[in-house]
């Protein structure tokens, strides 16, 4: 497992469905991140430019799926068991399947009062970037991560981390993630009817780099969530992040 695979998926110890699912996601993240970074670091061919958005979107989606599974283990257990059923049909859309809009991006969250006693349990958001998960998981994790990183030396790449804010982190990340998902989707589905809009090499490389930075920050922060499954020790998580970050330079 490479640095990005470990950073996102952690190191599950006990054998079982969750470990198998995260190992599978780690293999996918490793493989497609390697392909994406190769495009980032070299003069891209036309074929590489065409495939770059697909590679990056796999990294983005699978990374978020792994983080959902580490924060809400039942979700990854359910999906793994569900897909193992003999009646499961890959070509048929399941209503309970993993979804970017629902598992990662929250449904409508107009009500700003997170702790109203009249909220039904089914209405409380458990998406990766929901307001409730932000408040109970991400905000404390960012604060703990910043405290740890600030005492961990003067590596120039740490300055990027130290510029993050616990209160705005998920709001900003959610916006960046949705923009990247939309951009990469257009590259994957080739939705352009005007040749002037087709992605050039610089656009593809920027999208790949922004995707890698985004999932890298999320992966590092996730290991400072005490209840997250398969977390690394803080120093190992930081080392994996810095090693991965250097591959983007």
């Amino acid at each position: 497992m490479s640095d990005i695979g470990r950073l996102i998926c952690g190191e599950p110890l006990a054998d079982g469905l969750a470990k198998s699912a995260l190992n599978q996601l780690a293999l996918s993240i490793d493989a497609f991140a390697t392909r994406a970074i190769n495009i980032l670091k070299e003069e891209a061919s036309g074929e590489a430019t065409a495939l770059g958005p697909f590679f990056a979107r796999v990294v983005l989606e699978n990374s978020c799926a792994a983080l959902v599974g580490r924060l809400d283990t039942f979700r990854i257990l359910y999906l793994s068991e569900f897909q193992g059923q003999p009646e499961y049909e890959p070509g048929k859309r399941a209503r309970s399947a993993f979804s970017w809009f629902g598992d990662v991006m929250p449904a409508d969250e107009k009500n700003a009062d997170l702790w109203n006693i009249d909220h039904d349990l089914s209405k409380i958001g458990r998406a990766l970037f929901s307001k409730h998960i932000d408040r109970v998981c991400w905000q404390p994790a960012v604060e703990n991560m910043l405290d740890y990183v600030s005492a961990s030396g003067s590596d120039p790449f740490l300055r990027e981390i130290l510029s993050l804010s616990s209160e705005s982190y998920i709001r900003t990340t959610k916006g960046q993630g949705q923009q990247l998902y939309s951009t990469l989707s257009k590259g994957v589905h080739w939705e352009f009817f005007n040749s002037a809009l087709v992605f050039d090499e610089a656009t593809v490389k920027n999208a790949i780099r922004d995707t890698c930075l985004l999932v890298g920050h999320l992966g590092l922060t996730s290991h400072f969530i005490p209840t997250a499954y398969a977390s690394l020790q803080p120093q190992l998580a930081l080392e994996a992040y810095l090693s991965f970050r250097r591959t983007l330079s």
Side-chain angles (χ1 to χ4, degrees):
M1 191 183 297
S2 74
D3 291 319
I4 186 58
R6 291 176 67 239
L7 193 61
I8 299 298
C9 298
E11 291 185 339
L13 298 177
D15 290 334
L17 288 175
K19 180 175 181 177
S20 296
L22 284 175
N23 284 345
Q24 174 61 34
L25 286 167
L27 287 172
S28 176
I29 293 166
D30 286 345
F32 285 95
T34 298
R35 291 177 172 89
I37 292 170
N38 284 341
I39 294 172
L40 188 65
K41 300 180 77 170
E42 300 172 359
E43 184 175 348
S45 65
E47 181 179 8
T49 302
L51 292 173
F54 172 69
F55 297 158
R57 201 177 107 163
V58 173
V59 172
L60 179 63
E61 288 189 273
N62 283 5
S63 294
C64 288
L67 291 170
V68 167
R70 289 184 50 227
L71 268 60
D72 188 355
T73 313
F74 173 77
R75 187 67 175 120
I76 202 171
L77 291 171
Y78 171 82
L79 289 168
S80 183
E81 184 70 26
F82 172 72
Q83 292 180 357
Q85 300 303 307
E87 60 268 26
Y88 174 71
E89 299 180 35
K92 185 178 180 180
R93 175 65 180 172
R95 294 179 65 181
S96 61
F98 185 87
S99 173
W100 179 261
F101 297 101
D103 282 297
V104 180
M105 293 294 167
D108 187 18
E109 291 186 310
K110 290 182 179 179
N111 194 332
D113 184 1
L114 299 182
W115 316 113
N116 192 300
I117 61 173
D118 293 325
H119 286 339
D120 294 329
L121 182 60
S122 62
K123 301 292 186 181
I124 296 174
R126 293 175 67 168
L128 186 65
F129 298 147
S130 72
K131 291 180 179 179
H132 284 95
I133 296 297
D134 177 28
R135 181 65 189 86
V136 301
C137 292
W138 291 114
Q139 288 188 33
V142 172
E143 291 173 3
N144 291 335
M145 183 264 292
L146 291 175
D147 287 343
Y148 187 86
V149 169
S150 65
S152 297
S154 56
D155 191 301
F157 290 130
L158 295 181
R159 288 197 289 270
E160 299 173 359
I161 297 295
L162 292 172
S163 69
L164 302 176
S165 164
S166 61
E167 291 188 0
S168 63
Y169 179 64
I170 286 302
R171 182 173 66 251
T172 301
T173 300
K174 181 170 69 172
Q176 292 172 339
Q178 186 52 37
Q179 184 176 28
L180 282 168
Y181 181 87
S182 179
T183 297
L184 296 172
S185 295
K186 289 179 173 61
V188 168
H189 299 300
W190 212 253
E191 299 173 4
F192 301 117
F193 297 92
N194 186 322
S195 60
L197 297 176
V198 174
F199 291 162
D200 59 15
E201 181 177 345
T203 300
V204 170
K205 287 187 174 183
N206 285 338
I208 288 173
R209 191 174 190 278
D210 289 346
T211 298
C212 289
L213 288 173
L214 186 75
V215 300
H217 292 164
L218 283 167
L220 174 61
T221 305
S222 72
H223 297 286
F224 290 84
I225 300 174
T227 55
Y229 174 62
S231 288
L232 303 173
Q233 291 296 314
Q235 186 58 35
L236 293 177
L238 185 58
E239 289 171 1
Y241 171 79
L242 289 173
S243 178
F244 175 65
R245 179 63 185 83
R246 292 185 185 104
T247 67
L248 305 178
S249 300

